[in-house]
Amino acid sequence: LTGAISQFGKLQKIEIGNTKGKAMTASIMTVFTEFTKAVDDFMLVKYDILDIEKREFDDDFFKFRQRVKELERRLAAVLTQSFDDCDTIIGKFKMLDSFEGLLTRPIIMDELERKQITLLELFKTDLKDTQAIFQEGKILVERVDERSPISSNMPPISGALNWTRGLFDRVHEPMERLSQLSATIQDREEFKDVQKLYNSLCKSLKEFEEAKLVEWVEGVEENTEIHLSKPLLVKEENEAAEEGFIRVNFDPTLVRLLREVKYLQLLELKVPERASALYAKVDTYRTQTGNLELTVNMYNDVLATLLPVEKPLLADRIQSMLDALAPGLDALKWNADNINPFISKAMKIVTEVDELVKKMKENVKKMHEIM
């Protein structure tokens, strides 16, 4: 009696979603109301229900149980309809979680055992779909195809690993839930087939993930040393080279490496020591490249805006800028220790010349207006 009251009492807080949710929730509330009425009627007996001498209790409790069984049948029908109305296997499990406690009642349990076979079939189909997605997506990832499943804001390696993690999460929770079903279901051939398919897919995902990590780790040490030994600045190689334009020489490979480390750490994956040491200086590199970009842009802008007749007027200033930037073109590399003093000195000199050129241009403009 107390067990039934405790279990059916949970119906008061249950709400069903999906397309038929409103009707299903109303049916559950009707069952709860009728159960409450059955309990109230039972409590109206004129004797002490704890008195074992009172034989009337057996008759009254038999009537109560009959009413509860009828309510169980109706509740099982609502559960079945709600189960069929859920589109996804996770949705079906979450719906069953709402009725936790009631699922152990015999009539409901018998009804749901039939649905467990449906769960196995659904999950088997989902496993096959996931496997097909993996096989197709794996080829696109290797080709770096524009249709690749990697998120557009993520770098190649961590993006591929994040994608495989998503596929694993898609099948892992349902498999865990299915493993908690009754032993009779787990002994069936259908369950064993699903288990084999699940293990095969997980093995493929793990091998792909390990291969991607090994491929990336092998290139980290070599790429890091090569690109950090390059000079800070380099002359432009296009038609702008004749004008003396320069650019910041922080290799895109290092940028990708830093982004990879960031996302791999977010995925809680082990990162090579060399890559971790590089990422520890990510804020330093960001500041240095940002300041160098500002300095180089001002320098190039000065060269671009000065007319041929104006350049002789500022020949000494232009030479001072070249002298200030020269160490970045030759001696200073990204793994050097004295980069910040160089940037500060070069930025100060280039900024002064840039302000002077702007002032000259303003004066010329005013003279034109006056004339």
Side-chain angles (χ1 to χ4, degrees):
L1 176 65
T2 55
I5 293 172
S6 174
Q7 291 168 340
F8 275 83
K10 295 178 181 179
L11 294 177
Q12 188 177 12
K13 297 180 180 179
I14 291 177
E15 281 196 26
I16 305 295
N18 294 317
T19 54
K20 300 177 182 177
K22 190 173 182 180
M24 296 296 102
T25 303
S27 299
I28 289 171
M29 290 309 299
T30 302
V31 171
F32 174 73
T33 303
E34 293 187 22
F35 176 78
T36 305
K37 178 73 166 56
V39 172
D40 291 342
D41 291 344
F42 184 81
M43 293 303 175
L44 293 175
V45 296
K46 304 297 183 183
Y47 53 85
D48 181 3
I49 60 173
L50 297 181
D51 186 353
I52 58 174
E53 299 296 331
K54 301 294 182 180
R55 297 302 176 188
E56 301 95 320
F57 176 83
D58 294 339
D59 296 332
D60 291 331
F61 187 60
F62 177 77
K63 293 175 185 177
F64 174 77
R65 280 194 304 168
Q66 291 301 108
R67 293 177 70 177
V68 169
K69 282 182 179 179
E70 176 58 30
L71 293 175
E72 275 186 50
R73 291 189 189 93
R74 288 165 56 185
L75 191 57
V78 172
L79 263 169
T80 302
Q81 291 181 57
S82 300
F83 182 92
D84 293 336
D85 194 37
C86 291
D87 291 330
T88 64
I89 188 169
I90 289 295
K92 294 180 189 294
F93 276 120
K94 287 183 177 179
M95 189 276 295
L96 293 177
D97 288 344
S98 302
F99 292 88
E100 187 181 4
L102 286 160
L103 303 182
T104 57
R105 300 197 65 85
I107 295 174
I108 297 175
M109 187 184 293
D110 291 343
E111 191 67 34
L112 287 179
E113 274 192 5
R114 302 189 191 99
K115 293 297 180 183
Q116 288 176 352
I117 304 300
T118 306
L119 279 175
L120 284 174
E121 292 172 353
L122 282 171
F123 185 52
K124 188 174 183 179
T125 303
D126 199 40
L127 277 173
K128 289 179 179 178
D129 290 344
T130 306
Q131 195 169 44
I133 291 169
F134 172 63
Q135 294 300 333
E136 182 183 355
K138 182 171 68 170
I139 296 170
L140 297 175
V141 167
E142 297 293 349
R143 292 178 183 170
V144 197
D145 193 285
E146 61 180 11
R147 296 170 296 156
S148 170
I150 296 176
S151 300
S152 58
N153 66 319
M154 294 190 77
I157 302 300
S158 53
L161 299 183
N162 186 58
W163 170 64
T164 55
R165 288 284 180 91
L167 294 178
F168 175 75
D169 291 342
R170 172 174 172 170
V171 298
H172 179 63
E173 185 179 349
M175 188 64 208
E176 277 196 332
R177 297 293 194 96
L178 287 170
S179 300
Q180 296 167 5
L181 297 178
S182 60
T184 54
I185 293 296
Q186 294 184 28
D187 291 336
R188 297 178 68 97
E189 286 300 319
E190 293 94 330
F191 183 83
K192 292 176 181 176
D193 289 343
V194 163
Q195 205 167 33
K196 287 178 184 177
L197 190 58
Y198 170 78
N199 290 334
S200 173
L201 177 59
C202 289
K203 183 181 177 183
S204 299
L205 291 171
K206 187 173 180 61
E207 287 174 351
F208 177 79
E209 185 174 306
E210 289 174 349
K212 276 289 176 187
L213 271 176
V214 169
E215 172 194 334
W216 181 71
V217 169
E218 287 175 351
V220 165
E221 196 72 31
E222 181 183 353
N223 288 335
T224 303
E225 291 303 322
I226 290 173
H227 297 305
L228 285 178
S229 61
K230 291 182 178 180
L232 303 182
L233 306 172
V234 66
K235 292 181 179 179
E236 289 283 9
E237 297 173 355
N238 50 24
E239 62 276 1
E242 296 180 5
E243 299 292 333
F245 290 173
I246 60 176
R247 60 180 173 82
V248 179
N249 192 31
F250 195 76
D251 199 280
T253 305
L254 289 175
V255 177
R256 288 196 296 271
L257 177 62
L258 292 170
R259 291 187 70 227
E260 289 285 10
V261 176
K262 173 186 175 181
Y263 282 102
L264 288 173
Q265 288 182 348
L266 289 173
L267 292 171
E268 298 181 354
L269 290 169
K270 187 177 180 181
V271 177
E273 187 176 339
R274 188 72 185 89
S276 296
L278 181 69
Y279 187 73
K281 297 177 67 177
V282 64
D283 291 331
T284 302
Y285 290 132
R286 186 181 292 115
T287 303
Q288 289 174 348
T289 53
N291 288 335
L292 278 173
E293 287 285 355
L294 286 171
T295 305
V296 166
N297 287 340
M298 284 190 290
Y299 171 78
N300 290 338
D301 191 51
V302 167
L303 297 183
T305 55
L306 282 176
L307 298 173
V309 294
E310 294 173 332
K311 285 184 180 180
L313 296 173
L314 295 174
D316 56 334
R317 304 299 179 94
I318 294 173
Q319 188 58 47
S320 68
M321 287 196 300
L322 283 171
D323 294 340
L325 293 170
L329 290 163
D330 302 317
L332 283 177
K333 309 294 190 290
W334 288 105
N335 49 13
D337 295 326
N338 53 341
I339 295 176
N340 289 335
F342 158 74
I343 294 175
S344 299
K345 180 182 177 182
M347 179 178 275
K348 181 181 178 183
I349 293 172
V350 174
T351 302
E352 288 174 356
V353 178
D354 180 61
E355 289 175 353
L356 180 59
V357 170
K358 286 177 180 175
K359 190 66 178 175
M360 282 177 60
K361 293 293 182 182
E362 276 182 33
N363 290 339
V364 171
K365 184 180 178 181
K366 287 178 181 178
M367 289 164 67
H368 272 288
E369 291 171 356
I370 293 170
M371 295 298 291

